[in-house]
Every structure is written in structure tokens, then in C-alpha cells.
Amino acid sequence: MFTRSTLFLVVAVAVLATIVSANQKLPKNLFDSPYSKKLNRKEFLESITDGNVHVVEFYSDGCRGCQKFAGDWKAIAEKFKDTEGVQIAQVNCSIEGRLCRQRAVNGYPTVKVFQNGEEYITYEGIMFGELVEKFIASVARDLLQETTK
């Protein structure tokens, strides 16, 4: 059985490890990609109404899952950079919290697809680059075919 002092020591080490881990500096450009436009509230509202298919990642700087997914998102953005009618973007919910709440973003990262000002679908799968990429390709193909009919 643990003594009170042993339990205190275990808790103290766990708290210290958490603090040290949280204070590690993230690379400044971790979420930056030349192929994924960062949107504020105004830009978001303007862009999703332009007729293109908009695939938007909602993320938070401090989210470990977002940090792990950042490289995958950059690769996805690069993959779709020349796909006509498809725009890849990001909203930083650490900054644009109100927008994220209005769009029912309840966890991070969240990927949503918009067209003509309306949300079309939210990705519900595992945040793994290849799976998200296949989802985007499928949804974009469907939406772009609908607009050409």
C-alpha cells in the first residue's frame, strides 16, 4: 500500500512532468502551410460562399492531437493545391473561439466541408492523413460533380 508521502511524491512528479511537457516550445511554423489558408472569422464567412468546395481544419495550438496531425494536414493541403474548385483552409480556434463554437466544433482537430455558405459534412473518422485525404477526395468529387450537372 502507498504511504501518504509516497502518494504525494508520485502526484508531484506527475504534475511536474505535465508542466514541463506543456511548456515545451512548439516550432513556430508547426501549423503553417503555403497551401492551407488560415482564416479569421470575416475571411471564413467570405470564402465559404464563393462556390468552391472548402475543406477547413479547425484546430487549437495547445491540442496534442492537432500538433500530431499538423504534418498530415500540410501534406493534404499540398496534395489538393492544384485541384480546381477545392480550397484547403484552417481556423485556429485558440484565436477564433467564437467562430468555432458557432460552427459546433466540439473537439480538435475537426475537419468540415463547406460549399455555397453551408456546411456539407464533418469528417468523423480517425485523424490519420491518408484516411482524411481519401475522405476529402470523395466528398470533393461528389460536390464538384453536382455543380457541373
Side-chain angles (χ1 to χ4, degrees), residues 118-132:
E118 299 294 323
E119 181 179 328
Y120 180 73
I121 194 168
T122 299
Y123 176 72
E124 298 289 343
I126 297 169
M127 290 310 238
F128 178 71
E130 194 173 301
L131 297 175
V132 176

Side-chain angles (χ1 to χ4, degrees), residues 5 11 16 36 38 43 49-50 61-63 70 79-80 91-92 100 112 118 134 137 149:
S5 60
V11 170
L16 182 60
S36 180
K38 288 192 176 183
E43 293 166 333
T49 59
D50 69 5
D61 293 329
C63 163
K79 172 89 175 185
F80 287 95
V91 172
N92 184 344
C100 296
K112 292 181 179 265
E118 299 294 323
K134 286 179 181 178
K149 287 183 180 178

Side-chain angles (χ1 to χ4, degrees), residues 6 10 25 44 48 74 110 118 123 135 137 148:
T6 304
V10 169
K25 295 279 187 197
F44 173 83
I48 66 167
K74 287 179 184 181
T110 294
E118 299 294 323
Y123 176 72
F135 164 79
T148 58

Side-chain angles (χ1 to χ4, degrees), residues 64-130:
R64 289 218 185 257
C66 300
Q67 295 164 10
K68 290 178 182 178
F69 186 63
D72 287 339
W73 189 253
K74 287 179 184 181
I76 289 167
E78 186 169 2
K79 172 89 175 185
F80 287 95
K81 71 180 184 194
D82 296 322
T83 304
E84 189 173 335
V86 177
Q87 301 293 315
I88 304 294
Q90 296 168 281
V91 172
N92 184 344
C93 295
S94 299
I95 297 168
E96 299 294 336
R98 180 174 167 215
L99 171 61
C100 296
R101 286 187 300 279
Q102 289 173 336
R103 291 296 170 174
V105 175
N106 299 315
Y108 310 113
T110 294
V111 175
K112 292 181 179 265
V113 179
F114 300 87
Q115 188 180 41
N116 298 322
E118 299 294 323
E119 181 179 328
Y120 180 73
I121 194 168
T122 299
Y123 176 72
E124 298 289 343
I126 297 169
M127 290 310 238
F128 178 71
E130 194 173 301

Side-chain angles (χ1 to χ4, degrees), residues 24-42:
Q24 290 178 348
K25 295 279 187 197
L26 296 175
K28 186 174 183 174
N29 61 351
L30 180 64
F31 296 101
D32 294 346
S33 167
Y35 310 112
S36 180
K37 184 175 181 182
K38 288 192 176 183
L39 302 173
N40 62 31
R41 178 179 164 68
K42 181 180 179 199

